[in-house]
Amino acid sequence: MYPGGGGGGFGAQWVELNHLDRILAQLTRPQLAGSGVPPAVEDDLESIGLSAYRTGRKELVQRVWGRKRPLLRSLEPDDDPIPPCA
């Protein structure tokens, strides 16, 4: 599956990156103007400690990217992440 076996070390970073990627994909889908964040996305945001209450999509995307950047920086140059479509 992921390097490191997914047991809390390096593999946990891959799981978290995948989770953040899914949230970003949902947040950046085209939506009708004025539509809120779907309940499933709100649940995913809450699972990582973010609230969609009175927060626009743009700000939510920025906050999720703020969580993703440090994980990406911690990857080693020889790490080869599995693309989301694999």
Side-chain angles (χ1 to χ4, degrees), residues 20-76:
L20 294 172
D21 283 340
R22 282 194 319 262
I23 293 171
L24 285 168
Q26 292 171 332
L27 283 173
T28 57
R29 283 188 181 142
Q31 298 288 326
L32 295 174
S35 65
V37 176
V41 179
E42 285 182 16
D43 292 342
D44 281 340
L45 289 167
E46 287 179 16
S47 75
I48 61 169
L50 296 176
S51 173
Y53 180 71
R54 292 185 159 206
T55 308
R57 286 180 184 267
K58 183 177 178 179
E59 185 177 341
L60 290 169
V61 168
Q62 291 171 342
R63 289 181 180 182
V64 174
W65 261 104
R67 304 258 175 131
K68 185 176 174 177
R69 271 188 205 97
L71 291 171
L72 291 173
R73 288 185 185 129
S74 69
L75 298 177
E76 296 295 323

